[in-house]
């Protein structure tokens, strides 16, 4: 696998990496295996795919957590610029207290990914941000934090609450029985708001009927903060809900949303179907078509191809997607049927059922 431009920049400066180093948000491009001089680097990732891969690499200490646990201070921190600047702020705030006094903090990223203006993210914590290196449209920033400018990290300060009614609108703190208050975290899709695709899907939630036994089972694939799954639970409290996402931030946000609304459901980290077991009466999703900064249809196409074997007889796959995406032909190919439930100028809801 080819190294990303940002990883190549780290390779050019690897002579300055020594001691106990913590990497965060690093791409799964094999760059860590080329840093042979490091002993047991700590790697914080929010991506289940990366974590699963790193578990099989010797000398690594991979962490798949929304917050780094208490660890001894490290000699250097290398943060790869996330797509969302709010997530960058979140990571910087939680990582800085882990750095030894006088040690260096690196922030690296591609120029089209927000690194050009990222010095503003670091300036509140230091007297000077240095542009350490640049190449292949990527930049490496460096700073030595000032201890007095670093505050203890509190996860609660980064939780964002937003309200939703099963009628799609609720004021914060509304007492309506149908009101939901979602909890979101930086890095979660559509952080702190309802996106247009999910809004359309919520207007057309199906009644889930049990194919086996008496309790209907539903899977919210790519759950984000849990808005679709929790809305299903509000509509059908008897539902057995499983929610999954590849992002640890989404997994944590959905758990927080369930607890905050006193609802119950299983939440798991999974790369699409990798950790999903059993069959369901409904699989529902607002699937992504981006991997990082790049458009990528492959994950959703794989999701559709494998969905049928995770559904009971009579079970339904229901997704919302941009109109320009050519999923209906694939759904028809896999299920032998595909129905358009609703559409707007931008989105469509597609449904297919496993034949009885």
């Amino acid at each position: 696998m080819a190294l990303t431009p940002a990883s190549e920049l780290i390779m050019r400066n690897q002579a300055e990496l020594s001691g106990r180093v913590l990497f965060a948000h690093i791409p799964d491009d094999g760059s860590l295996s080329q840093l042979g001089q490091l002993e047991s680097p700590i790697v914080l990732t929010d991506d289940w795919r990366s974590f699963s891969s790193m578990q099989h690499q010797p000398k690594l200490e991979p962490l798949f957590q929304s917050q780094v646990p208490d660890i001894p201070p490290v000699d250097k921190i290398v943060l790869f610029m996330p797509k969302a600047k709010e997530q960058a702020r979140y990571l910087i705030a939680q990582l800085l207290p882990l750095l030894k006094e006088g040690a260096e903090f690196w922030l690296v990223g591609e120029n089209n990914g927000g690194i050009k203006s990222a010095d503003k993210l670091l300036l509140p914590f230091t007297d000077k941000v240095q542009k350490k290196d640049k190449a292949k449209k990527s930049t490496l920033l460096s700073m030595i934090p000032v201890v007095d400018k670093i505050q203890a990290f509190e996860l609660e300060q980064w939780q964002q609450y937003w309200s939703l009614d099963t009628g799609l609108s609720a004021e914060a703190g509304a007492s309506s029985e149908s009101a939901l208050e979602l909890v979101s975290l930086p890095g979660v899709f559509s952080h702190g708001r309802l996106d247009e695709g999910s809004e359309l899907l919520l207007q057309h939630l199906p009644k889930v009927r049990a194919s086996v036994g008496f309790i209907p089972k539903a899977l919210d694939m790519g759950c984000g903060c849990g808005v679709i799954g929790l809305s299903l639970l509000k509509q059908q409290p008897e539902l057995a809900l499983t929610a999954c996402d590849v992002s640890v931030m989404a997994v944590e946000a959905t758990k927080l949303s369930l607890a905050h609304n006193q609802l119950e459901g299983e939440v798991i980290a999974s790369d699409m179907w990798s950790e999903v077991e059993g069959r369901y009466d409904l699989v529902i999703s607002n699937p992504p078509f981006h991997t990082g900064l790049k458009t990528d249809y492959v994950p959703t196409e794989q999701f559709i191809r494998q969905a049928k074997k995770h559904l009971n007889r009579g079970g339904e796959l229901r997704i919302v997607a941009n109109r320009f995406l050519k999923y209906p032909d694939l759904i028809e190919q896999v299920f032998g049927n595909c129905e358009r439930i609703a559409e707007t100028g931008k989105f469509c809801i597609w449904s297919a059922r496993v034949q009885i």
Side-chain angles (χ1 to χ4, degrees):
M1 182 184 298
L3 296 182
T4 65
S7 291
E8 289 186 6
L9 208 51
I10 296 300
M11 293 300 109
R12 281 179 26 152
N13 292 272
Q14 64 177 298
E16 298 188 39
L17 297 175
S18 61
R20 189 169 168 83
V21 181
L22 188 155
F23 294 88
H25 210 261
I26 187 169
D28 186 16
D29 59 0
S31 54
L32 286 171
S33 63
Q34 299 185 30
L35 296 171
Q37 81 276 17
L38 295 179
E39 292 187 10
S40 300
I42 304 164
V43 188
L44 177 67
T45 178
D46 63 356
D47 188 290
W48 180 255
R49 291 162 297 201
S50 297
F51 178 71
S52 299
S53 173
M54 291 174 190
Q55 282 185 303
H56 304 293
Q57 298 181 38
K59 296 185 178 181
L60 293 185
E61 294 183 31
L63 298 173
F64 182 75
Q65 299 180 20
S66 59
Q67 185 176 353
V68 180
D70 289 334
I71 59 174
V74 297
D75 298 294
K76 192 182 292 286
I77 292 175
V78 181
L79 171 61
F80 284 73
M81 185 71 185
K83 180 180 178 180
K85 284 194 173 180
E86 185 66 11
Q87 188 178 11
R89 294 188 183 94
Y90 171 87
L91 286 167
I92 291 167
Q94 71 156 301
L95 293 174
L96 284 179
L98 306 174
L99 192 61
K100 287 182 179 178
E101 185 174 350
E104 208 173 7
F105 184 100
W106 287 2
L107 179 61
V108 64
E110 298 179 33
N111 293 346
N112 63 352
I115 195 68
K116 282 186 174 181
S117 58
D119 58 330
K120 297 175 184 177
L121 304 176
L122 302 179
L123 281 172
F125 307 100
T126 186
D127 294 328
K128 181 182 179 182
V129 177
Q130 176 187 358
K131 187 177 290 186
K132 193 173 188 70
D133 198 1
K134 60 179 181 178
K136 291 189 176 182
K137 298 181 180 179
S138 294
T139 303
L140 172 60
L141 302 177
S142 170
M143 73 165 177
I144 297 178
V146 176
V147 174
D148 292 343
K149 296 184 178 183
I150 300 174
Q151 297 181 349
F153 180 78
E154 298 290 342
L155 180 64
E156 292 77 12
Q157 296 177 358
W158 295 89
Q159 295 172 3
Q160 186 168 335
Y161 293 80
W162 59 282
S163 293
L164 173 80
D165 189 88
T166 50
L168 286 190
S169 178
E171 296 296 325
S175 59
S176 167
E177 290 184 0
S178 63
L180 286 172
E181 191 169 41
L182 286 305
V183 186
S184 187
L185 290 168
V188 174
F189 171 69
S190 194
H191 176 45
R193 64 181 179 84
L194 182 65
D195 67 283
E196 190 177 344
S198 295
E199 181 177 358
L200 180 63
L201 194 54
L202 292 180
Q203 292 169 355
H204 298 275
L205 288 179
K207 174 77 172 178
V208 188
R209 292 175 173 82
S211 302
V212 179
F214 300 99
I215 300 176
K217 296 176 62 180
L219 173 69
D220 179 5
M221 174 69 76
C223 56
C225 70
V227 61
I228 296 172
L230 268 71
S231 296
L232 281 170
L233 279 174
K234 275 290 188 178
Q235 178 177 282
Q236 288 183 254
E238 76 278 12
L239 194 68
L241 175 73
T242 299
C244 69
D245 205 290
V246 73
S247 164
V248 72
M249 305 304 292
V251 169
E252 181 67 19
T254 298
K255 289 179 178 178
L256 290 169
S257 292
L258 283 166
H260 185 67
N261 290 277
Q262 299 181 321
L263 296 171
E264 294 185 3
E266 179 187 27
V267 189
I268 60 173
S270 182
D271 178 13
M272 289 295 181
W273 298 107
S274 67
E275 311 302 318
V276 176
E277 298 179 352
R279 293 177 180 265
Y280 298 86
D281 302 301
L282 172 70
V283 173
I284 193 166
S285 184
N286 178 5
F289 58 95
H290 289 91
T291 301
L293 297 172
K294 298 178 181 179
T295 300
D296 186 359
Y297 308 118
V298 174
T300 298
E301 290 176 357
Q302 291 176 342
F303 159 63
I304 293 171
R305 290 185 188 279
Q306 297 176 39
K308 186 176 180 180
K309 67 181 183 181
H310 290 277
L311 283 164
N312 290 318
R313 279 196 242 177
E316 180 187 4
L317 170 70
R318 183 171 294 210
I319 68 170
V320 63
N322 286 59
R323 289 173 59 94
F324 73 85
L325 298 174
K326 298 180 180 179
Y327 294 149
D329 291 343
L330 178 58
I331 294 172
E332 180 79 38
Q333 176 187 334
V334 173
F335 285 84
N337 63 93
C338 181
E339 179 185 359
R340 181 167 53 195
I341 300 295
E343 64 181 312
T344 64
K346 189 175 181 182
F347 292 94
C348 281
I349 296 176
W350 303 103
S351 170
R353 288 190 177 274
V354 178
Q355 300 301 315
I356 298 176

